[in-house]
Amino acid sequence: MFKYVVFDVDGTMVDTEEAVMYAYQSVIFQKHGRYFTEEELLKGYGVPTPKSLERYGFTDIESAMEDYYKYLVEGFKRCKAFDGINELIDTLKSMNLPLAVVTSRCGYEIKIDSCLQSFIDKFDAVICSDDTEKHKPDAQPLLKAMERLGASPEETIYIGDTLFDSQCAGNAGVKFALAIWGSNNADNIDAEYYLKTPSQLLDLLK
């Protein structure tokens, strides 16, 4: 049914929630003298890091990014892939299915993640925030990935964990599979497919 598979990173392949929150809350505390509530943090979700920091009240984004990355490197050391992800990717490669990544991370955030670096070379295309002018939920990142793969929307499936991932897929005319294992808001996200475990994706590809 699908000939091309595209993955989000955070909350989909790598469990980075604790690391990212640690980095954000650390720089937020430095600036505001307190930690943000979950509701306050929500306004910075799903967009590139500079935009998140701007929404959190930072004006000197370059300086804030330096501090953020310092904490993020510490946090990434404790991250790991979700159970079953490595096995899934190996199986997809054995099936000769072209694979891509579409993420709101920038290239540097991909580079410093030792967990992600252990398997990112198995992907045929990696689209990060540096690669497009517009970002999720706009279709542009996913369209860029399909361009690099030589894929058409009807042959492509995108796996992610957030509302922005779902909207990005919809805007690109691509079917969306929700990674329930990493989603914090599964009941409120539209998807064509709801996957409880990574291995369930294989049932859609048979």
Side-chain angles (χ1 to χ4, degrees):
M1 183 176 181
F2 299 107
K3 297 180 181 179
Y4 302 90
V5 183
V6 186
F7 289 87
D8 175 47
V9 175
D10 301 306
T12 300
M13 293 194 295
V14 184
D15 187 359
T16 54
E17 182 177 13
E18 182 179 342
V20 172
M21 285 303 99
Y22 167 72
Y24 274 131
Q25 290 283 37
S26 295
V27 294
I28 286 169
F29 188 84
Q30 283 182 191
K31 178 173 180 59
H32 297 288
R34 66 178 181 88
Y35 298 116
F36 275 14
T37 65
E38 184 174 344
E39 183 177 354
E40 289 174 310
L41 289 169
L42 278 174
K43 61 185 178 183
Y45 284 7
V47 297
T49 304
K51 177 61 68 174
S52 295
L53 291 170
E54 183 180 318
R55 292 180 180 181
Y56 293 151
F58 291 86
T59 52
D60 187 348
I61 302 301
E62 184 176 348
S63 177
M65 287 289 290
E66 290 180 4
D67 290 335
Y68 173 81
Y69 284 142
K70 177 183 68 176
Y71 292 115
L72 190 63
V73 169
E74 295 178 19
F76 275 161
K77 292 176 181 178
R78 300 191 292 269
C79 289
K80 63 179 183 178
F82 285 102
D83 290 342
I85 286 294
N86 282 295
E87 294 82 358
L88 173 62
I89 294 170
D90 287 341
T91 300
L92 296 176
K93 292 301 291 182
S94 72
M95 297 166 63
N96 294 317
L97 288 171
L99 307 178
V101 164
V102 167
T103 177
S104 294
R105 290 192 193 190
C106 69
Y108 181 70
E109 290 167 336
I110 292 174
K111 182 179 179 180
I112 63 176
D113 185 345
S114 57
C115 174
L116 183 59
Q117 284 298 316
S118 68
F119 59 83
I120 195 70
D121 61 344
K122 297 178 182 179
F123 288 83
D124 302 283
V126 177
I127 305 300
C128 61
S129 63
D130 303 327
D131 296 309
T132 58
E133 292 183 5
K134 297 180 180 180
H135 308 105
K136 296 186 288 186
D138 191 271
Q140 193 174 99
L142 193 46
L143 293 175
K144 187 74 172 181
M146 287 189 288
E147 178 186 337
R148 291 193 182 175
L149 292 177
S152 62
E154 61 271 14
E155 296 176 313
T156 304
I157 186 169
Y158 184 40
I159 300 93
D161 66 300
T162 70
L163 178 61
F164 278 4
D165 294 329
S166 172
Q167 292 172 335
C168 178
N171 290 333
V174 168
K175 292 291 192 296
F176 179 66
L178 181 65
I180 294 176
W181 62 84
S183 179
N184 292 322
N185 196 28
D187 292 338
N188 297 309
I189 299 175
D190 291 331
E192 281 77 27
Y193 309 99
Y194 295 85
L195 308 179
K196 293 182 179 179
T197 64
S199 63
Q200 286 186 336
L201 176 63
L202 298 174
D203 295 332
L204 304 179
L205 304 175
K206 292 179 179 177

